Amino acid sequence: MPVLKDFGKISKKLMSWVLALGFLLAVSSGCTRERRLEYGLELADTLRINILSEPPTLDWNRSTDTTSSLIQDNIMEGLIQYDLKDPDFRLKPALATEWSSNEDFTRWVFTLREGVEWNDGVPFKAEHVLASWERLLNPQTASEYAYFLYSLKNARLYNEGSIKDFAQVGAKVDSEGRIVVELEQPKTYFPMLLTHSSTFPIRTDVIAKHGDQWTEPENIVTLGAYNLKVWDHDRAIVLERNENYYGEKALVKNILAYMINETSTALNLFDSGRLDSLHTLPSRELVHLKRRKEYRETGIMATYYFGFNTTRPPMDNVLVRRAIVHAVDRKQITDMLGGGQIPISNWVPPGMLGYEADVGLKFDADEARRLLDEAGFADRSTFPTITLSFNTLEDHRRVAENIQAQLRRNLGINVELANEEWKVYLRSLSTNPSHIYRLGWLADYPDPDNFMGIMTSFSDQNYTRWKSERYDELVRQAVAEGDPAKRQALYVEAQRILTEEGAAVLPLFAQVNHLLVNERVQNYPVNRLARFIFREVSLK
Amino acid sequence: MAVVVLSFFALPIPVFLLWLVGILGGLSFIHYTFSQNLFVYVMKRLAEALFVIWVIASLTFFLLRVIPGGPFDTEKALPPEVIANIAAKYNLDAPLHHQYADYMLGLLKGDLGESYKFLGRNVSQIVAESLPVSLQLGTYSLLLAFLIGIPAGLFAASRHNTWADNAAMIFAIVGLALPSFLIAPILIIIFAFKLNWFEVALWLGPEYYVLPVIVLGTGPAAIIARLTRSSVLEVIRSDYIRTAKAKGLSHQVILYKHVLKNSLIPVLTFSGPLVAGVLSGAFVVEQIFAIPGMGRHMVQSVTNRDYPLILGTTLVFSIMLVLANLLVDILYAYFDPRIKLS
């Protein structure tokens, strides 16, 4: 039909126009593409990182996540900091030059550094520290990390609202301008809490002036090695060197932090030379990423474990729990994951005081079968099907399926898998955990109390419902023990009660961080604490 | 059109231009509704739309409270004192009907509330920052879909039952069948890594827009091509075209006035659902190309149980859908006089 012929001609013309336009665009953009950075930055003095997501807030009294704290750690400083190069993460002075405690670790005195200025020129004073602690504990602030300072005398009551006057809380400034802290109970590691961003000093006058908007770059007042220069929400953050920083100035002038939450997208950007480092790698590509020269890895103070709901039959029988722990070969799981995870049978991760490889029940299938027989399940058909639950994630599923298969093979029992979306899962844990549940723990500070405290009978994190007075007592003693050797012994004993005698948990492995760092970057912070402080990084 | 071109090349769009577009669009719309006696109809539809949106808002509000897990459930369980403080701050300890009344009153005042996750950021602020990006992506993709789909359909129809027709249609089927998370990496490897023409991700200028727009536009383009083809073939065989030819009308007139206009009606019908498809498909594309659009917030707010943000994004999406459908219905009457809206 002739009409149709015309159509053919027109459509051909149209299509060729579209194609030509597309081609033109491709070529023109290809030609104009040069390596210029956004926000007017120069590549030579800018470190480009990915922080995965928009920081929920930069208000350090209120944030709780690692993205926010990465930025805060670079724009702010606490009274004390870790020596990140020291394998034991010894503490070193920051805004406090020295500190000491009384003999039973209930009273601490911090001497503050003089001559430090905020980046608006106001001198740093002890009042800024107390103002921050008051704000952190104030019920109106509704800070999730208020409990970080619950060890201060009356702090919990103040946070609860039953004490209205902050003067009754155990933190004061003495006549010499030092900060004096009174604790409810002895705490050997109290200074470590002051390395955490939630306790950093704060300028309440700035907050009063700008309200919730005080964390925007034009309002925020900080004193760290970098200043917040740009916060382009959902896109990027730019930090610029603070030329008035009291200590050694940062070596790299700018940090450009993108917010790309898809790890494979970030990897593409790294490969195309748009990112200098990646802190999270797609787990399925680890095998070949490990062979790259940019690859770095470090064990971190985080564990992966399964807990038993010790009130739900048959898990109320300690012999059953021991049988299950004995029946799991951890090495098989870490090999399957292939990320260099370290199998552990005790509770505290390697690299931390209290770690003892010898503690905990090891893989022993014969012993496992014997224990299950002894528990009264010699006839395996009488053993009920138990449920193992985890939050929905590919890697968790792989681990769960592996355990399911091992228990089937080594014990001849049936395990049902159940997964739930994260928030639903958390709710189930606190109301009625299944027979076996998955969880992990990332250290807030590198002290074993942070891990041991989880399993005390009064802990909010203990979903096993397992209780041991002796365990509670040992943990309490250890916190007040100043001698590391004695402390170690107390923790070893406590861990034997938790992982062997009580077998309330099945510790699986300690986690590993995998990174890619471009070769032009030197001195990149790769440490067990997973704290990224960029002051000493330099670029080739 | 100028606005689209300017925004594509990441050039600043003069505010007066936006106003001009808005005013012209609004005026011509009002003029059109009056000239067609559609004013009552439009008002009725708008009232219906308001009702629909109220239902959506209420349903979302209550469904969110029903699903297990709250906004402040965290891996590290919080002491009861802290939980109480948070509940008091966000008014979560008030009876549910109070919370609902507060929320609805806020909505009437145009206040979508403050995000629970992103402290100190208003939901309206988040939407204002991310929606334009999503709109940009969606508009370019739709334009691309029409620009490729319609000519391709015409072309295939003109070569009806030849190899060219078959090839075009197989191409369309493939484009429709391949999911965006498969097309995207392939295009990235070829055009970003091998040829180095476009960027692998981010949303900073034209060279960044091309790949995501192609990925998002391919599916709709394929559908439009198939629709156009079958519709042209149908129209061309209809009686009125034969009459037109018998009358001795020129090819041009038959083509533009009769065939093209009539065969585009099914494409128009499809545009409403198409907008929905592009909007919801955008999430995957935004994710793959790290585009700071609204899709990310839409999905992640649910994971975070960020009630105000979930409600806000849901409402904005519903409003856009309702309006798109209304617009399509009105355009019908324009293109097809047989359809009477009342």
Side-chain angles (χ1 to χ4, degrees), chain A residues 33 261 265 274 442 461, chain B residues 76-77 81 196 208 288 300:
Chain A
R33 257 179 35 160
N261 55 3
T265 306
R274 308 261 327 203
L442 169 70
Q461 326 289 346
Chain B
K76 301 190 170 175
E81 293 89 341
N196 203 21
Y208 297 84
I288 297 176
Q300 281 177 359

Side-chain angles (χ1 to χ4, degrees), chain A residues 6-19:
Chain A
D6 275 6
F7 257 154
K9 272 186 228 155
I10 297 167
S11 55
K12 255 205 230 145
K13 233 189 242 172
L14 246 171
M15 290 234 281
S16 50
W17 265 105
V18 172
L19 283 178

